[in-house]
Amino acid sequence: MTPIKSTLFALTFAIASTPAFADDHTGNPKVGGAEMLVERNIIENAVNSPIHTTLVAAVQAADLVDTLQGEGPFTVFAPVNDAFAALPAGTVETLLLPENKAMLQKVLTAHVVAGDWSAAEIIAAARSSADGFYHFNAVSGDALSAQVRGDNVYIYDESGNASLVTVADVNQSNGVIHVVNAVLVPK
């Protein structure tokens, strides 16, 4: 290799390995330090997130894997492990029992909305509503509401419990995930 080619190769390698070029090329934010690839579906990306292991185990126990790998589109408000850990002691273990599968399905589908709703669309709908909330229904049939406070988006369940969207617009091949810090509990 000539000195000029050698220098160009070294310069190209140095540029390609700088943080600006080494970032996730999908345009998606990372979740729990893991890359979320647009060409993967909701389940394929969720299993790669180290902060969603409880959610993945629950989806598997509820037999919802095939549904969330389906065509969609779906918008999923995905609670992190700490959100499940904050539930009263024994709640997760009880929900994961085979005899509680229907209840677990209801809880999980209370986090799923039909359609592909970006954070910008949710924010616009909330800001344009008369009461400052965008009201919509989850796949479970439960009511959800979105509110914008400052730069933050909160999703409320029917009991009025708020869940902060901590990572928005994680695009998937069959929808979008918004990471949330609390479990939405249906009535």
Side-chain angles (χ1 to χ4, degrees):
M1 192 179 288
T2 68
I4 292 175
K5 285 185 182 177
S6 177
T7 303
L8 286 173
F9 175 79
L11 183 59
T12 302
F13 180 78
I15 290 171
S17 15
T18 60
F21 287 89
D23 284 346
D24 178 17
H25 296 285
T26 67
N28 260 347
K30 289 185 177 186
V31 175
E35 289 193 29
M36 301 286 112
L37 304 177
V38 175
E39 61 271 8
R40 291 184 182 162
N41 65 48
I42 290 165
I43 296 298
E44 290 169 334
N45 274 322
V47 298
N48 287 325
S49 169
I51 61 173
H52 286 100
T53 56
T54 305
L55 178 62
V56 169
V59 167
Q60 291 168 337
D63 287 331
L64 291 173
V65 171
D66 289 341
T67 301
L68 292 174
Q69 285 181 327
E71 188 175 320
F74 304 107
T75 298
V76 176
F77 299 103
V80 295
N81 293 339
D82 288 345
F84 285 100
L87 293 172
T91 301
V92 174
E93 294 77 10
T94 300
L95 284 171
L96 292 175
L97 294 172
E99 61 266 24
N100 295 327
K101 182 175 165 180
M103 187 185 317
L104 180 59
Q105 288 175 335
K106 174 117 170 112
V107 169
L108 294 175
T109 57
H111 294 80
V112 181
V113 176
D116 190 341
W117 287 86
S118 71
E121 291 169 322
I122 294 169
I123 290 167
R127 286 188 171 151
S128 68
S129 70
D131 66 355
F133 288 88
Y134 173 61
H135 303 284
F136 52 105
N137 287 321
V139 170
S140 64
D142 296 282
L144 298 176
S145 299
Q147 181 187 40
V148 181
R149 286 193 262 154
D151 291 335
N152 296 311
V153 176
Y154 291 87
I155 306 298
Y156 292 84
D157 61 25
E158 289 180 327
S159 299
N161 300 311
S163 185
L164 172 67
V165 175
T166 58
V167 181
D169 296 329
V170 185
N171 293 307
Q172 318 289 305
S173 65
N174 63 341
V176 63
I177 290 175
H178 301 291
V179 178
V180 294
N181 72 346
V183 175
L184 302 167
V185 182
K187 281 192 171 185

